Amino acid sequence: MTDCKPLILLVEDNEQNLELATYLLEEAGYEVAPARDARSVRAAFDGPAPSLVLMDMHLPGSDGLSLVRELRSRADWRTVPVIALTAHAMRGDRERFLAGGCDDYIAKPVDTASFARQVAERLRAGRAGGAP
Ligand code: MN
């Protein structure tokens, strides 16, 4: 049954955040592919597209939005829903993330009670506004 699980690319450079999100996603029945830096994300772009991407907006040496831009330039990845993750939400961030190719936004620290449900809802809905 393992191959039936939706695959989620989880981009997060903070080890504690990565562990918590991985635990919550695996508990909810997802398979998690972790990526801790921009290099690993770009390596993932050369492989098969996941069902959904969770993208930390603050990575050492790169920002999440430029990686999302690269992601959207890949034919196979264009339709993959992307949820932005950030710890330092500021006014206008949500709009900036959505305009930059993300479909949703989750603030860190993640709410353990609702995190997996937010992911499930975005998986079900697909890209925001049905945008391919
Ligand atoms: Mn980070």
Side-chain angles (χ1 to χ4, degrees):
M1 293 298 283
T2 312
D3 50 337
C4 297
K5 292 182 177 181
L7 176 66
I8 300 197
L9 175 63
L10 172 58
V11 183
E12 173 61 75
D13 66 299
N14 178 283
E15 200 60 36
Q16 278 178 297
N17 292 345
L18 184 73
E19 275 179 31
L20 176 61
T22 299
Y23 170 79
L24 294 170
L25 292 168
E26 287 181 348
E27 278 291 294
Y30 300 112
E31 191 179 342
V32 177
R36 294 170 172 83
D37 53 38
R39 198 170 53 93
S40 310
V41 176
R42 293 195 177 101
F45 288 164
D46 291 328
S51 299
L52 183 139
V53 176
L54 283 157
M55 179 72 77
D56 182 10
M57 287 291 118
H58 303 89
L59 294 166
S62 179
D63 73 287
L65 278 183
S66 56
L67 292 171
V68 172
R69 211 163 23 243
E70 290 176 39
L71 181 159
R72 291 301 181 215
S73 73
R74 304 282 181 132
D76 294 354
W77 291 64
R78 214 168 355 238
T79 56
V80 176
V82 175
I83 301 178
L85 288 171
T86 183
H88 306 289
M90 290 185 292
R91 189 186 298 273
D93 267 359
R94 182 187 174 81
E95 290 67 29
R96 200 165 56 85
F97 297 157
L98 296 187
C102 300
D103 303 291
D104 235 327
Y105 159 73
I106 294 178
K108 295 188 285 187
V110 301
D111 175 11
T112 56
S114 65
F115 179 66
R117 179 168 45 76
Q118 288 174 280
V119 170
E121 281 170 7
R122 179 46 61 191
L123 261 176
R124 200 158 41 236
R127 291 217 52 202

